[in-house]
Amino acid sequence: MEQADGFADGFLDAHDHTQCPAELALSVMRGRWKVHVLRELAEGTQRFSGLQRALVGVSHKVLTSQLRELEAAGVVEREVFAEVPPRVEYRLTPRGRSLIPVLESLHAWGAAPPES
């Protein structure tokens, strides 16, 4: 049901904090490298080595962990090619692509000067 403020049973109406959809959404992106991984994958399919080169300072172990968590959340999909050496590619799922406007909004909010 649409309310006068434009929010329909959304963030401002949610009083059940045990299953807050906003908190659940933030938990998907929580992690030092996840937003950066999403930014890189927004540009298209990437191999693990390409992601690691783009994310200067991330360890193999941490990048693997962050990718697995994003995959488990249904945001990233992983494709393994039966080649020698094995090739693995990562891409955003439709659910992952739906996060891009959210991240763009967060970026704009973070770039705006604080009101005084």
Side-chain angles (χ1 to χ4, degrees):
M1 178 160 116
E2 185 82 14
Q3 294 189 350
D5 60 7
F7 294 97
D9 295 325
F11 177 72
L12 297 178
D13 296 323
H15 296 287
D16 177 5
H17 302 291
T18 61
Q19 292 296 316
C20 176
E23 183 63 33
L24 295 172
L26 287 171
S27 72
V28 169
M29 296 182 284
R30 193 171 291 135
R32 168 67 179 94
W33 297 98
K34 286 182 184 173
V35 169
H36 302 290
V37 167
L38 294 171
R39 185 194 62 232
E40 293 300 319
L41 293 178
E43 295 178 10
T45 301
Q46 298 278 334
R47 292 176 72 172
F48 184 90
S49 59
L51 287 169
Q52 196 165 29
R53 273 193 303 277
L55 304 174
V56 177
V58 68
S59 70
H60 187 280
K61 178 181 176 181
V62 169
L63 181 55
T64 298
S65 172
Q66 299 281 275
L67 285 164
R68 285 185 180 156
E69 289 174 18
L70 289 167
E71 187 179 5
V75 173
V76 168
E77 62 185 4
R78 175 180 185 258
E79 185 173 5
V80 180
F81 296 87
E83 301 174 352
V84 178
R87 177 171 50 116
V88 179
E89 293 182 345
Y90 296 89
R91 71 184 57 80
L92 293 177
T93 64
R95 184 171 174 81
R97 285 192 297 279
S98 74
L99 279 173
I100 301 307
V102 174
L103 293 171
E104 289 286 356
S105 293
L106 287 171
H107 176 86
W109 184 86
E115 294 180 16
S116 40

